PDB file of all heavy atoms in Angstrom:
ATOM      1  N   THR A1224      83.337 123.202 147.772  1.00 97.00           N
ATOM      2  CA  THR A1224      82.645 124.102 148.668  1.00 97.00           C
ATOM      3  C   THR A1224      82.960 125.552 148.437  1.00 97.00           C
ATOM      4  O   THR A1224      82.163 126.411 148.895  1.00 97.00           O
ATOM      5  CB  THR A1224      83.015 123.738 150.143  1.00 97.00           C
ATOM      6  OG1 THR A1224      84.402 124.030 150.354  1.00 97.00           O
ATOM      7  CG2 THR A1224      82.658 122.306 150.428  1.00 97.00           C
ATOM      8  N   GLY A1225      84.177 125.874 147.893  1.00 97.00           N
ATOM      9  CA  GLY A1225      84.523 127.226 147.709  1.00 97.00           C
ATOM     10  C   GLY A1225      85.023 127.851 149.017  1.00 97.00           C
ATOM     11  O   GLY A1225      85.360 129.024 149.101  1.00 97.00           O
ATOM     12  N   ILE A1226      85.172 127.011 150.054  1.00 98.00           N
ATOM     13  CA  ILE A1226      85.621 127.467 151.359  1.00 98.00           C
ATOM     14  C   ILE A1226      87.165 127.228 151.426  1.00 98.00           C
ATOM     15  O   ILE A1226      87.677 126.123 151.135  1.00 98.00           O
ATOM     16  CB  ILE A1226      85.016 126.714 152.508  1.00 98.00           C
ATOM     17  CG1 ILE A1226      83.487 126.928 152.493  1.00 98.00           C
ATOM     18  CG2 ILE A1226      85.532 127.153 153.881  1.00 98.00           C
ATOM     19  CD1 ILE A1226      82.704 126.085 153.434  1.00 98.00           C
ATOM     20  N   GLN A1227      87.898 128.236 151.811  1.00 98.00           N
ATOM     21  CA  GLN A1227      89.355 128.111 151.946  1.00 98.00           C
ATOM     22  C   GLN A1227      89.759 127.117 152.940  1.00 98.00           C
ATOM     23  O   GLN A1227      89.229 127.033 154.063  1.00 98.00           O
ATOM     24  CB  GLN A1227      89.948 129.481 152.321  1.00 98.00           C
ATOM     25  CG  GLN A1227      91.439 129.549 152.353  1.00 98.00           C
ATOM     26  CD  GLN A1227      91.941 130.965 152.573  1.00 98.00           C
ATOM     27  OE1 GLN A1227      91.895 131.425 153.737  1.00 98.00           O
ATOM     28  NE2 GLN A1227      92.420 131.685 151.545  1.00 98.00           N
ATOM     29  N   GLY A1228      90.717 126.236 152.629  1.00 98.00           N
ATOM     30  CA  GLY A1228      91.222 125.261 153.539  1.00 98.00           C
ATOM     31  C   GLY A1228      92.270 125.825 154.395  1.00 98.00           C
ATOM     32  O   GLY A1228      92.929 126.766 154.060  1.00 98.00           O
ATOM     33  N   ARG A1229      92.507 125.244 155.628  1.00 98.00           N
ATOM     34  CA  ARG A1229      93.505 125.752 156.547  1.00 98.00           C
ATOM     35  C   ARG A1229      94.271 124.576 157.139  1.00 98.00           C
ATOM     36  O   ARG A1229      93.690 123.574 157.599  1.00 98.00           O
ATOM     37  CB  ARG A1229      92.897 126.552 157.626  1.00 98.00           C
ATOM     38  CG  ARG A1229      92.247 127.853 157.196  1.00 98.00           C
ATOM     39  CD  ARG A1229      91.872 128.741 158.372  1.00 98.00           C
ATOM     40  NE  ARG A1229      91.205 129.978 157.922  1.00 98.00           N
ATOM     41  CZ  ARG A1229      90.847 130.953 158.694  1.00 98.00           C
ATOM     42  NH1 ARG A1229      91.169 130.911 159.946  1.00 98.00           N
ATOM     43  NH2 ARG A1229      90.258 132.026 158.186  1.00 98.00           N
ATOM     44  N   ILE A1230      95.586 124.707 157.114  1.00 99.00           N
ATOM     45  CA  ILE A1230      96.437 123.728 157.752  1.00 99.00           C
ATOM     46  C   ILE A1230      97.218 124.437 158.885  1.00 99.00           C
ATOM     47  O   ILE A1230      97.762 125.523 158.587  1.00 99.00           O
ATOM     48  CB  ILE A1230      97.449 123.050 156.781  1.00 99.00           C
ATOM     49  CG1 ILE A1230      96.695 122.321 155.689  1.00 99.00           C
ATOM     50  CG2 ILE A1230      98.411 122.108 157.473  1.00 99.00           C
ATOM     51  CD1 ILE A1230      97.602 121.779 154.555  1.00 99.00           C
ATOM     52  N   VAL A1231      97.239 123.869 160.064  1.00 99.00           N
ATOM     53  CA  VAL A1231      97.913 124.500 161.200  1.00 99.00           C
ATOM     54  C   VAL A1231      98.922 123.492 161.803  1.00 99.00           C
ATOM     55  O   VAL A1231      98.529 122.351 162.165  1.00 99.00           O
ATOM     56  CB  VAL A1231      96.922 124.900 162.316  1.00 99.00           C
ATOM     57  CG1 VAL A1231      97.644 125.576 163.425  1.00 99.00           C
ATOM     58  CG2 VAL A1231      95.799 125.863 161.770  1.00 99.00           C
ATOM     59  N   ASN A1232     100.176 123.897 161.784  1.00 98.00           N
ATOM     60  CA  ASN A1232     101.236 123.075 162.390  1.00 98.00           C
ATOM     61  C   ASN A1232     101.562 123.607 163.784  1.00 98.00           C
ATOM     62  O   ASN A1232     101.898 124.822 163.911  1.00 98.00           O
ATOM     63  CB  ASN A1232     102.507 123.071 161.579  1.00 98.00           C
ATOM     64  CG  ASN A1232     102.467 122.135 160.397  1.00 98.00           C
ATOM     65  OD1 ASN A1232     101.458 121.518 160.093  1.00 98.00           O
ATOM     66  ND2 ASN A1232     103.561 122.039 159.622  1.00 98.00           N
ATOM     67  N   LEU A1233     101.533 122.752 164.807  1.00 98.00           N
ATOM     68  CA  LEU A1233     101.907 123.194 166.134  1.00 98.00           C
ATOM     69  C   LEU A1233     103.435 123.087 166.245  1.00 98.00           C
ATOM     70  O   LEU A1233     103.985 121.966 166.210  1.00 98.00           O
ATOM     71  CB  LEU A1233     101.187 122.361 167.234  1.00 98.00           C
ATOM     72  CG  LEU A1233      99.955 123.084 167.744  1.00 98.00           C
ATOM     73  CD1 LEU A1233      98.819 122.974 166.817  1.00 98.00           C
ATOM     74  CD2 LEU A1233      99.552 122.556 169.138  1.00 98.00           C
ATOM     75  N   SER A1234     104.040 124.238 166.371  1.00 97.00           N
ATOM     76  CA  SER A1234     105.483 124.292 166.623  1.00 97.00           C
ATOM     77  C   SER A1234     105.692 124.636 168.082  1.00 97.00           C
ATOM     78  O   SER A1234     104.956 124.266 168.958  1.00 97.00           O
ATOM     79  CB  SER A1234     106.104 125.305 165.603  1.00 97.00           C
ATOM     80  OG  SER A1234     107.513 125.425 165.840  1.00 97.00           O
ATOM     81  N   SER A1235     106.774 125.342 168.308  1.00 96.00           N
ATOM     82  CA  SER A1235     107.061 125.807 169.684  1.00 96.00           C
ATOM     83  C   SER A1235     108.169 126.891 169.653  1.00 96.00           C
ATOM     84  O   SER A1235     108.952 126.925 168.750  1.00 96.00           O
ATOM     85  CB  SER A1235     107.551 124.633 170.515  1.00 96.00           C
ATOM     86  OG  SER A1235     108.137 125.024 171.776  1.00 96.00           O
ATOM     87  N   ILE A1236     108.200 127.687 170.670  1.00 95.00           N
ATOM     88  CA  ILE A1236     109.291 128.658 170.825  1.00 95.00           C
ATOM     89  C   ILE A1236     110.575 127.906 170.966  1.00 95.00           C
ATOM     90  O   ILE A1236     111.706 128.459 170.721  1.00 95.00           O
ATOM     91  CB  ILE A1236     109.041 129.574 172.042  1.00 95.00           C
ATOM     92  CG1 ILE A1236     109.971 130.818 171.973  1.00 95.00           C
ATOM     93  CG2 ILE A1236     109.267 128.771 173.340  1.00 95.00           C
ATOM     94  CD1 ILE A1236     109.660 131.832 173.040  1.00 95.00           C
ATOM     95  N   ALA A1237     110.538 126.657 171.322  1.00 95.00           N
ATOM     96  CA  ALA A1237     111.742 125.765 171.406  1.00 95.00           C
ATOM     97  C   ALA A1237     112.463 125.596 170.063  1.00 95.00           C
ATOM     98  O   ALA A1237     113.615 125.109 170.051  1.00 95.00           O
ATOM     99  CB  ALA A1237     111.380 124.398 171.962  1.00 95.00           C
ATOM    100  N   HIS A1238     111.813 126.058 168.976  1.00 96.00           N
ATOM    101  CA  HIS A1238     112.459 125.914 167.657  1.00 96.00           C
ATOM    102  C   HIS A1238     113.725 126.759 167.607  1.00 96.00           C
ATOM    103  O   HIS A1238     114.624 126.564 166.785  1.00 96.00           O
ATOM    104  CB  HIS A1238     111.531 126.267 166.500  1.00 96.00           C
ATOM    105  CG  HIS A1238     111.336 127.723 166.301  1.00 96.00           C
ATOM    106  ND1 HIS A1238     110.476 128.525 166.978  1.00 96.00           N
ATOM    107  CD2 HIS A1238     112.030 128.647 165.474  1.00 96.00           C
ATOM    108  CE1 HIS A1238     110.482 129.773 166.603  1.00 96.00           C
ATOM    109  NE2 HIS A1238     111.488 129.908 165.680  1.00 96.00           N
ATOM    110  N   HIS A1239     113.854 127.762 168.498  1.00 96.00           N
ATOM    111  CA  HIS A1239     115.042 128.580 168.638  1.00 96.00           C
ATOM    112  C   HIS A1239     116.238 127.763 169.170  1.00 96.00           C
ATOM    113  O   HIS A1239     117.354 128.126 168.918  1.00 96.00           O
ATOM    114  CB  HIS A1239     114.843 129.781 169.519  1.00 96.00           C
ATOM    115  CG  HIS A1239     113.961 130.831 168.984  1.00 96.00           C
ATOM    116  ND1 HIS A1239     114.426 131.874 168.190  1.00 96.00           N
ATOM    117  CD2 HIS A1239     112.591 131.061 169.060  1.00 96.00           C
ATOM    118  CE1 HIS A1239     113.433 132.633 167.822  1.00 96.00           C
ATOM    119  NE2 HIS A1239     112.292 132.176 168.305  1.00 96.00           N
ATOM    120  N   HIS A1240     115.936 126.726 169.910  1.00 92.00           N
ATOM    121  CA  HIS A1240     116.975 125.936 170.583  1.00 92.00           C
ATOM    122  C   HIS A1240     117.143 124.602 169.881  1.00 92.00           C
ATOM    123  O   HIS A1240     116.613 123.608 170.216  1.00 92.00           O
ATOM    124  CB  HIS A1240     116.632 125.703 172.072  1.00 92.00           C
ATOM    125  CG  HIS A1240     117.653 124.990 172.852  1.00 92.00           C
ATOM    126  ND1 HIS A1240     118.889 125.527 173.111  1.00 92.00           N
ATOM    127  CD2 HIS A1240     117.657 123.785 173.386  1.00 92.00           C
ATOM    128  CE1 HIS A1240     119.631 124.684 173.807  1.00 92.00           C
ATOM    129  NE2 HIS A1240     118.941 123.594 173.980  1.00 92.00           N
ATOM    130  N   CYS A1241     117.830 124.658 168.675  1.00 93.00           N
ATOM    131  CA  CYS A1241     118.023 123.501 167.906  1.00 93.00           C
ATOM    132  C   CYS A1241     119.482 123.191 167.679  1.00 93.00           C
ATOM    133  O   CYS A1241     120.335 123.843 168.310  1.00 93.00           O
ATOM    134  CB  CYS A1241     117.333 123.636 166.550  1.00 93.00           C
ATOM    135  SG  CYS A1241     117.797 125.114 165.647  1.00 93.00           S
TER     136      CYS A1241
END
Side-chain angles (χ1 to χ4, degrees):
T1224 65
I1226 300 171
Q1227 186 175 75
R1229 295 190 184 187
I1230 299 172
V1231 183
N1232 279 3
L1233 263 76
S1234 180
S1235 168
I1236 195 171
H1238 80 273
H1239 287 273
H1240 185 65
C1241 56

